[in-house]
């Protein structure tokens, strides 16, 4: 393999760097990810055993793609490389090493919604539920908790900075957090933050030093992509993993840091040379992705950032037209422009899969999704998916989770409240009786249910017993378990929710996904750790199509590239999002996010904004929308302006020929945030 033919000098130097710490800091599209792939290939060629290489990426999908590319370079050996996210890796290591440190191997992972629900229980247990509504909500409590864990900023400082009105409750926060922590531990529940925290602690704790050293000794080389989006805890983990050796390669771009809202800090990049003395630093400036006019616009946009360290990007490629800045009269005209232009480019030979439409938040593509469906253009959607957050999906998962972990209080509470005749008091009493009996399997059966709850209690006891019984010949697949649960649950669903059909269809999907997992534990862990991030992961919208358009949030588009990119809703209050408008740091993060969006394009880039929004989406005082503040006059000069004319001359909106067979709008509403 001739590396020199595939990489430029700086990339080659990085890919073939000998042992020792290495930082690659470079702008968008300069080949950071490509260099990392070649470095993995190079290490394997050099004789490093692939299973002793750890590749950490932002999504599991990204790791898979990189390893597939490495496979093309060095063959199937690369399949043994351990690739995945920090959380996924933490999970794997904790299952293996946790039991030696007092964490049982069968812990249950709580996703964010579960953690918030548990926080609510802690809030109530601390007697703060009935206090005046001035005491923060579970979401706020959880946000502060998570921020504290991920940034190591003291709770008091977070309150002063973000929630000064809650300062007087600082002691109460501490009480709730203490209960929350104890509650999780007593029930073997582990949330996302705990995964990282336990990993870091295993590596660092003195009495367990032996474990830390053994974990560190599992790998000879660690490589991290998108390092700008890691947090303090992840930096600590990397330190711990590198105690035995110092073979760490990190790549990142401070101008693309977009997860500060979740505690990420570019200090990790800036301080790397200090944290790893003697680290080699490679910078890359030649962009291989985009045309110069697209880079000019992107460079200008990011040049307005308050703080920045990366250099101007350039390409050796010549030609390319200026990106378009498109003014539409309203949302629907914006939609029709995007769809028409996509079809035009498609006619001219660009496959749909080489085009993407990006937006700030998942709900902003609703009109576009309807239009694409009406015009029969296949698409898949990345990010912003609410499938697993849908109440009915969580309901079914609650059954599986109490089977998996009988101490899973959140799931017990959820499923008890589902049952007809069981209310809050009965649910709490039932849970207390199980706590008193140390969560033994039989304790729920012995619970003395009040008369009106007797039938439901009996039905639930029977179902759980049937699912627990392990007679030979029984089908114990997760899909089958879901089918059994639905025997009881589907009627409850029909009673409790509207729009029954799409919800039942979701449960079919869930059953289908479950079919791909060997057992319940791995199914539940995968859903919590790696929730489906694209509609195609769920098996609809493009399963049989290899040519589908991508709709994506800007966050989920990180690291990707397409021939043609449309950034829609470039409207102040939408991008940047309105909740960022009052906070300078958040505005800067939104600007970097816009930069990420623009730099995804290879040849065509169009940024669009509707001038007015005449439905009531934003309330009456905002009838006229303003172009995003990031596209100031100077930046606009890097674009060519396209102003779409008032509707005359444009085709009237098409009306579907026949009544729709499926209630598509209903499905969208229930799936993308409308459902409860
Ligand atoms: P981002 O910051 O968006 O993650 P990146 O720095 O990781 O970008 P890559 O995705 O690795 O950049 O590369 C961008 C594009 O440029 C890819 O299509 C890649 O294959 C191509 N590329 C990078 N380096 C070279 C090279 N030396 N020769 C040819 N193509 C290259
Ligand atoms: Mg990359």
């Amino acid at each position: 393999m001739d590396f020199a033919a595939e990489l430029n000098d700086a990339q080659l130097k990085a890919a073939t760097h000998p042992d020792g710490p290495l930082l690659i800091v470079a702008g968008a599209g300069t080949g950071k990810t490509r260099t990392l792939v070649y470095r993995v290939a190079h290490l394997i060629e050099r004789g490093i055993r692939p299973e002793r290489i750890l590749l950490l990426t932002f999504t599991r999908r990204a790791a898979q793609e990189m390893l597939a590319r490495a496979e093309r370079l060095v063959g199937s050996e690369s399949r043994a490389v351990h690739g995945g996210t920090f959380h996924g890796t933490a999970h794997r290591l904790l299952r293996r090493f946790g039991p030696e440190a007092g964490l049982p191997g069968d812990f249950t992972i709580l996703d964010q919604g579960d953690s918030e629900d548990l926080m609510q229980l802690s809030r109530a247990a601390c007697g703060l539920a009935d206090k005046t509504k001035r005491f923060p909500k579970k979401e706020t409590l959880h946000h502060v908790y998570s921020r504290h864990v991920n940034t190591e900023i003291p709770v008091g400082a977070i309150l002063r900075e973000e929630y000064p009105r809650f300062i007087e409750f600082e002691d109460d926060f501490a009480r709730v957090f203490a209960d929350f922590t104890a509650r999780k531990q007593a029930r073997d529940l582990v949330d996302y933050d705990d995964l990282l925290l336990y990993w870091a602690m295993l590596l660092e704790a003195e009495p367990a030093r032996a474990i830390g050293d053994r974990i560190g000794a599992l790998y000879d080389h660690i490589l991290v992509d998108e390092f700008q989006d890691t947090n303090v805890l992840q930096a600590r983990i990397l330190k711990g993993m590198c105690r035995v050796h110092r073979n760490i390669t990190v790549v990142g771009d401070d101008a693309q840091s977009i997860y500060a809202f979740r505690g990420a800090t570019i200090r990790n990049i800036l301080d790397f040379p200090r944290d790893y003395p003697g680290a080699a630093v490679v910078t890359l400036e030649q962009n291989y992705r985009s045309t110069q006019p697209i880079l000019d616009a992107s460079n200008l946009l990011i040049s307005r950032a308050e703080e920045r360290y990366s250099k101007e990007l350039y390409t050796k490629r010549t030609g390319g037209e200026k990106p378009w800045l498109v003014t539409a009269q309203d949302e629907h005209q914006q939609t029709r422009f995007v769809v028409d232009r996509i079809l035009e480019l498609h006619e001219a030979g660009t496959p749909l899969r080489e085009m993407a439409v990006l937006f700030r938040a998942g709900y902003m593509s609703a009109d576009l999704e309807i239009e694409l469906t009406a015009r029969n253009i296949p698409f898949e959607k990345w990010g912003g998916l609410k499938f697993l957050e849908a109440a009915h999906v969580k309901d079914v998962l609650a059954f599986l989770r109490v089977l998996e972990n009988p101490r899973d209080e959140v799931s017990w509470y959820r499923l008890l409240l589902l049952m007809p005749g069981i209310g809050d008091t009965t649910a709490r009493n039932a849970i207390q009786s199980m706590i008193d009996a140390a969560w033994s399997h039989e304790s729920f059966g012995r619970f003395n249910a009040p008369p009106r709850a007797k039938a439901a209690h009996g039905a639930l006891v029977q179902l759980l017993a049937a699912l627990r019984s392990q007679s030979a010949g029984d089908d114990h697949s997760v899909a089958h378990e879901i089918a059994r649960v639905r025997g009881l649950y589907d009627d409850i669903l029909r009673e409790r929710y509207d729009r029954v059909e799409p919800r039942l269809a979701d449960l079919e999907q869930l059953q289908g996904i479950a079919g791909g997992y060997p057992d319940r534990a791995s199914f539940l862990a995968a859903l919590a750790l790696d929730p489906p991030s694209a509609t195609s992961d769920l098996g609809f919208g493009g399963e049989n199509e290899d040519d589908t358009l991508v709709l994506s949030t800007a966050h989920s588009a990180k690291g990707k590239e397409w021939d043609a990119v449309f950034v829609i809703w470039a409207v102040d209050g939408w991008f940047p999002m309105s909740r960022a408008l009052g906070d300078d740091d958040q505005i800067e993060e939104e600007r970097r996010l816009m930069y990420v969006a623009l730099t995804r394009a290879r040849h065509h880039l169009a940024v669009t904004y509707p001038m007015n929004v005449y439905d009531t989406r934003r309330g009456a005082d905002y009838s006229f929308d303003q172009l995003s503040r990031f596209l100031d006059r100077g930046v606009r000069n890097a674009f060519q302006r396209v102003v779409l004319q008032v509707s005359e001359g444009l085709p009237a909106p098409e009306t579907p020929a026949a009544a729709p067979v499926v209630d598509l709008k209903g499905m969208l509403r229930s799936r993308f945030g409308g459902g409860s």
Side-chain angles (χ1 to χ4, degrees):
M1 186 180 27
D2 184 8
F3 276 66
E6 305 278 328
L7 301 172
N8 67 33
D9 290 348
Q11 292 172 337
L12 181 68
K13 182 169 167 240
T16 57
H17 176 73
D19 290 353
L22 169 66
L23 165 68
I24 305 173
V25 53
T30 52
K32 294 184 299 297
T33 300
R34 181 183 173 104
T35 303
L36 218 46
V37 169
Y38 277 78
R39 179 149 178 78
V40 169
H42 172 76
L43 290 172
I44 294 175
E45 253 196 1
R46 238 183 67 191
I48 307 290
R49 288 190 2 237
E51 69 277 12
R52 298 190 54 80
I53 299 174
L54 177 63
L55 172 65
L56 292 165
T57 56
F58 215 70
T59 61
R60 196 165 62 100
R61 188 197 273 244
Q64 283 166 343
E65 279 174 17
M66 289 171 70
L67 293 178
R69 283 198 266 157
E71 189 172 342
R72 269 177 256 140
L73 299 174
V74 289
S76 59
E77 257 202 290
S78 62
R79 277 189 219 156
V81 171
H82 281 174
T85 60
F86 275 87
H87 289 97
T89 306
H91 173 239
R92 196 161 45 76
L93 293 173
L94 286 178
R95 291 261 188 242
R96 180 164 157 198
F97 293 94
E100 292 176 47
L103 183 72
D106 63 349
F107 60 82
T108 297
I109 300 172
L110 297 178
D111 67 22
Q112 167 141 352
D114 303 327
S115 303
E116 288 170 1
D117 290 346
L118 194 72
M119 192 66 90
Q120 178 70 13
L121 292 175
S122 294
R123 185 180 187 269
C126 292
L128 293 161
D130 305 323
K131 213 163 169 176
T132 57
K133 48 182 179 294
R134 287 192 50 224
F135 192 71
K137 294 186 306 224
K138 61 178 180 177
E139 290 84 3
T140 309
L141 287 165
H142 188 263
H143 171 79
V144 173
Y145 170 83
S146 186
R147 192 152 184 86
H148 165 65
V149 171
N150 283 288
T151 61
E152 296 175 357
I153 300 172
V155 171
I158 296 175
L159 293 182
R160 269 187 297 281
E161 166 86 26
E162 290 185 49
Y163 301 101
R165 66 188 181 284
F166 293 142
I167 293 254
E168 56 174 306
F169 297 124
E170 188 177 340
D171 293 343
D172 292 326
F173 272 82
R175 275 200 304 134
V176 175
F177 294 167
D179 182 274
F180 178 62
T181 305
R183 197 168 285 268
K184 280 187 293 186
Q185 295 188 343
R187 291 151 183 78
D188 298 332
L189 305 171
V190 169
D191 64 22
Y192 289 160
D193 301 325
D194 293 334
L195 283 169
L196 298 184
L197 202 53
Y198 280 133
W199 184 6
M201 288 181 341
L202 272 185
L203 290 167
E204 291 165 0
E206 277 311 319
R209 184 87 180 206
I211 301 184
D213 282 347
R214 268 159 51 220
I215 296 177
L218 289 174
Y219 300 104
D220 295 326
H221 282 268
I222 297 178
L223 303 97
V224 189
D225 200 2
E226 310 275 5
F227 190 57
Q228 75 278 358
D229 288 324
T230 55
N231 63 31
V232 177
L233 206 46
Q234 287 162 318
R236 257 171 67 189
I237 287 169
L238 293 173
K239 265 255 172 74
M241 292 299 285
C242 289
R243 226 173 28 220
V244 182
H245 56 76
R246 293 175 74 235
N247 301 326
I248 176 166
T249 302
V250 300
V251 315
D253 177 8
D254 52 88
Q256 293 185 74
S257 134
I258 53 176
Y259 281 93
F261 75 99
R262 281 202 326 218
T265 169
I266 56 166
R267 298 252 42 109
N268 285 352
I269 292 193
L270 306 179
D271 296 343
F272 188 85
R274 201 198 64 203
D275 292 343
Y276 296 87
V281 179
V282 172
T283 56
L284 308 170
E285 280 169 36
Q286 181 176 349
N287 176 293
Y288 288 86
R289 177 179 294 149
S290 311
T291 61
Q292 190 63 50
I294 292 174
L295 292 180
D296 289 342
S298 311
N299 282 335
L300 265 170
L301 181 116
I302 200 67
S303 72
R304 272 54 171 170
E306 307 262 296
E307 278 184 292
R308 68 192 202 102
Y309 306 85
S310 299
K311 294 270 170 54
E312 296 270 293
L313 299 174
Y314 72 95
T315 175
K316 287 187 177 161
R317 206 183 304 156
T318 52
E321 58 167 7
K322 275 188 174 183
W324 297 15
L325 179 59
V326 181
T327 311
Q329 301 297 321
D330 55 39
E331 174 175 20
H332 198 60
Q333 196 183 39
Q334 168 178 264
T335 295
R336 271 181 298 159
F337 164 79
V338 169
V339 176
D340 288 344
R341 181 81 180 123
I342 285 170
L343 289 177
E344 205 172 279
L345 289 166
H346 189 240
E347 284 285 294
T350 308
L352 291 175
R353 66 172 171 280
E354 292 300 340
M355 296 190 256
V357 184
L358 310 183
F359 30 83
R360 174 63 183 82
Y363 61 83
M364 295 180 189
S365 64
D367 189 58
L368 181 63
E369 290 175 46
I370 290 165
E371 181 79 9
L372 290 169
T373 308
R375 292 174 58 175
N376 250 327
I377 300 174
F379 65 90
E380 62 176 82
K381 186 166 171 182
W382 297 358
L385 198 73
K386 296 287 194 322
F387 176 73
L388 287 178
E389 291 162 32
H392 49 291
V393 174
K394 297 208 77 163
D395 290 347
V396 169
L397 292 176
F399 286 87
L400 301 185
R401 289 174 40 163
V402 301
L403 286 168
E404 193 59 30
N405 177 356
R407 291 147 299 186
D408 188 336
E409 186 177 6
V410 177
S411 298
W412 269 117
Y413 189 63
R414 177 174 201 106
L415 78 84
L416 286 170
L417 286 186
L418 284 174
M419 303 302 292
I422 298 185
D424 187 69
T425 310
T426 307
R428 284 179 196 279
N429 289 342
I431 289 173
Q432 191 55 49
S433 78
M434 287 188 275
I435 294 175
D436 295 342
W439 300 102
S440 81
H441 280 175
E442 303 76 41
S443 57
F444 182 59
R446 285 199 298 266
F447 171 64
N448 187 12
R452 55 194 296 266
K454 277 256 183 308
H457 175 249
L460 195 53
V461 170
Q462 206 181 2
L463 174 68
L464 295 176
L467 286 167
R468 279 205 195 96
S469 76
Q470 290 279 351
S471 38
D474 280 4
D475 183 351
H476 274 288
S477 69
V478 202
H480 182 71
E481 285 184 350
I482 294 178
R484 292 289 295 267
V485 168
R486 292 185 56 192
L488 176 74
Y489 176 74
D490 280 7
D491 284 339
I492 298 177
L493 183 151
R494 290 191 183 91
E495 277 293 310
R496 286 177 78 92
Y497 299 112
D498 58 353
R499 300 194 308 269
V500 169
E501 288 311 317
R503 291 180 196 269
L504 291 174
D506 283 345
L507 299 187
E508 292 292 331
Q509 291 288 350
L510 191 70
Q511 228 169 305
I513 300 172
Y517 289 87
D519 53 48
R520 194 201 299 137
S522 56
F523 173 65
L524 291 174
L527 286 191
L529 280 174
D530 204 21
S533 59
T535 39
S536 61
D537 292 351
L538 292 174
F540 52 82
E543 187 187 24
N544 302 315
E545 307 267 357
D546 56 359
D547 194 20
T548 44
L549 174 73
V550 168
L551 312 190
S552 177
T553 59
H555 279 102
S556 293
K558 188 166 91 155
K560 301 284 180 181
E561 58 189 27
W562 293 271
D563 277 345
V565 169
F566 298 82
V567 180
I568 61 173
W569 281 116
V571 170
D572 233 43
W574 294 65
F575 202 159
M577 229 150 59
S578 51
R579 61 177 150 75
L581 294 180
D583 180 307
D584 290 349
D585 289 344
Q586 286 183 32
I587 287 286
E588 289 307 311
E589 179 141 315
E590 298 271 321
R591 189 196 311 277
R592 295 190 296 267
L593 187 58
M594 176 78 87
Y595 176 72
V596 167
L598 301 188
T599 53
R600 300 306 96 198
R602 290 195 198 104
H603 304 294
H604 303 281
L605 172 65
V607 176
T608 70
Y609 80 104
M611 278 208 304
N612 60 70
V613 180
Y614 40 55
D615 66 13
T616 49
R617 286 169 90 146
R618 294 180 54 203
D621 24 343
Y622 287 98
S623 57
F624 275 89
D625 282 329
Q626 305 228 328
L627 180 60
S628 168
R629 65 187 61 192
F630 302 142
L631 298 160
D632 61 33
R633 184 185 308 218
V635 175
R636 285 202 296 275
N637 284 336
F639 286 80
Q640 46 186 317
R641 302 295 294 269
V642 176
V643 181
L644 302 177
Q645 295 310 311
V646 196
S647 63
E648 56 182 290
L650 283 167
E654 286 171 39
T655 34
V661 190
V662 288
D663 177 14
L664 193 70
K665 286 189 177 179
M667 290 174 75
L668 278 183
R669 277 196 306 275
S670 69
R671 223 163 241 148
F672 301 106
S676 56

